[in-house]
Amino acid sequence: MSFKIASSPHHHNRRSTASLMQLVAIACIPGIAVQAVFFGYGVLVQLVLAIATAWLAEAMILSLRHKAIRPRLMDHSALVTAVLLAVAIPPFAPWWLIVIGTAFAIIMVKQLYGGLGHNLFNPAMAAYVMLLISFPVQMTQWLPPLPLQSVTISPLDAICTIFTQFSCGGFSLSQMQLSVDGITLATPLDTLRTDLAQGLTLTESWQKPVYLSFAGSGWLWVNLAYLAGGLFLLQQKVITWRIPVAVLTSLFVFTMLSWLASPDAFASPLFHLFSGGTMLAAFFIATDPVSASTTDRGRLWFGALIGLLIYLIRSFGGYPDAIAFAVLLANMCVPLIDYYTRPRTYGHKAKGATK
């Protein structure tokens, strides 16, 4: 038996950034398709606007920085940022909202810090928070899911509504927000938060039509679709299991404890896991390799912190879906988490150890 000696590196099967980003975008397709089915084709229009804006903004800043444009556009990182922001905003939000948000994500959050690999915060979530704080009305205008819609919305209606705020048939966005029984519907998380704040019990809130399933009409299937995409990323080894498992486990544990303590004041763990953007956050947003923790133990703490923050903000804060705020707050803690979870150097002796 002979041994061959070669210089490092010894790992020759590393995927390029472009191929990893392509797989992330592909894994989003099931979730995007389900969103389009339940909440209208506006999400597809928002995707086109977001991707075009991301590429244009990236090219412009790279040109100003005298950097090669084509190689950096082809790493598809701007594409993924655009996709994640487009699926997070209401599908029929005005066109300028996604343009402003995507430009902010690329220019201010990504390129201002030096481009891919240097940004401190998740660009899509930083842009989402900026939009939510600046334009709260437009960022909360979700239409009822398909089974509850009072107006049939075609792909052409989606285009008209996004660019004019009126459908081709003349219906305003407010009219399209009405359910079949004439009630203006919000998302399940927003409905629950509002009802509990008004003194209703969970059982009383649960009688509303938005809860056709335990996680809210449409939202259960959206989360299952993003879960399928996330499992695909795990199978392809694009992401590791630590952050998604830590996020979901932490959220499950804390919601379970509060639900057991007061089932009429807190929603069940399954409701939190399969409503809102939980699965999108666990598998696609929190796993961002740039803004997340870089150590194995750190990823567990990072994910657990996100799960805890989602629970706290949803249960006691002013925003129903706490994904963006939770991720950004956890991003701030990454340097501290990495400092205390970095692997010990081989041969390092613990402080105070005897000879």
Side-chain angles (χ1 to χ4, degrees), residues 47-70:
L47 277 169
V48 173
L49 291 172
I51 293 170
T53 302
W55 281 343
L56 182 62
E58 185 109 314
M60 181 184 69
I61 298 301
L62 289 173
S63 177
L64 292 175
R65 295 178 59 203
H66 305 289
K67 301 288 185 179
I69 297 176
R70 181 177 174 81

Side-chain angles (χ1 to χ4, degrees), residues 197-213:
Q198 292 176 347
L200 298 179
T201 65
L202 190 64
T203 304
E204 292 170 332
S205 179
W206 216 254
Q207 306 305 314
K208 295 192 173 181
V210 71
Y211 301 109
L212 288 182
S213 65

Side-chain angles (χ1 to χ4, degrees), residues 59-224:
M60 181 184 69
I61 298 301
L62 289 173
S63 177
L64 292 175
R65 295 178 59 203
H66 305 289
K67 301 288 185 179
I69 297 176
R70 181 177 174 81
R72 287 170 173 79
L73 285 182
M74 295 308 294
D75 67 14
H76 303 305
S77 59
L79 169 68
V80 170
T81 296
V83 169
L84 294 179
L85 181 59
V87 301
I89 71 169
F92 292 89
W95 64 271
W96 48 263
L97 194 75
I98 190 64
V99 170
I100 292 174
T102 307
F104 179 85
I106 298 298
I107 297 172
M108 303 301 294
V109 188
K110 181 184 177 185
Q111 289 296 336
L112 187 65
Y113 286 94
L116 181 65
H118 300 281
N119 48 285
L120 301 178
F121 302 99
N122 184 290
M125 292 300 96
Y128 181 92
V129 168
M130 183 276 293
L131 292 175
L132 184 61
I133 294 174
S134 303
F135 310 102
V137 174
Q138 290 81 3
M139 285 293 288
T140 54
Q141 290 181 324
W142 284 85
L143 265 62
L146 183 63
L148 299 177
Q149 288 177 7
S150 59
V151 179
T152 302
I153 304 171
S154 67
L156 187 57
D157 286 323
I159 297 174
C160 291
T161 304
I162 289 172
F163 284 97
T164 69
Q165 293 298 281
F166 288 91
S167 70
C168 297
F171 291 100
S172 68
L173 193 58
S174 298
Q175 290 173 312
M176 289 187 285
Q177 282 184 285
L178 297 177
S179 66
V180 290
D181 57 2
I183 298 175
T184 301
L185 293 183
T187 63
L189 284 168
D190 196 21
T191 300
L192 180 65
R193 181 182 65 86
T194 302
D195 288 348
L196 292 178
Q198 292 176 347
L200 298 179
T201 65
L202 190 64
T203 304
E204 292 170 332
S205 179
W206 216 254
Q207 306 305 314
K208 295 192 173 181
V210 71
Y211 301 109
L212 288 182
S213 65
F214 68 85
S217 179
W219 291 102
L220 170 62
W221 297 106
V222 169
N223 275 276
L224 287 174

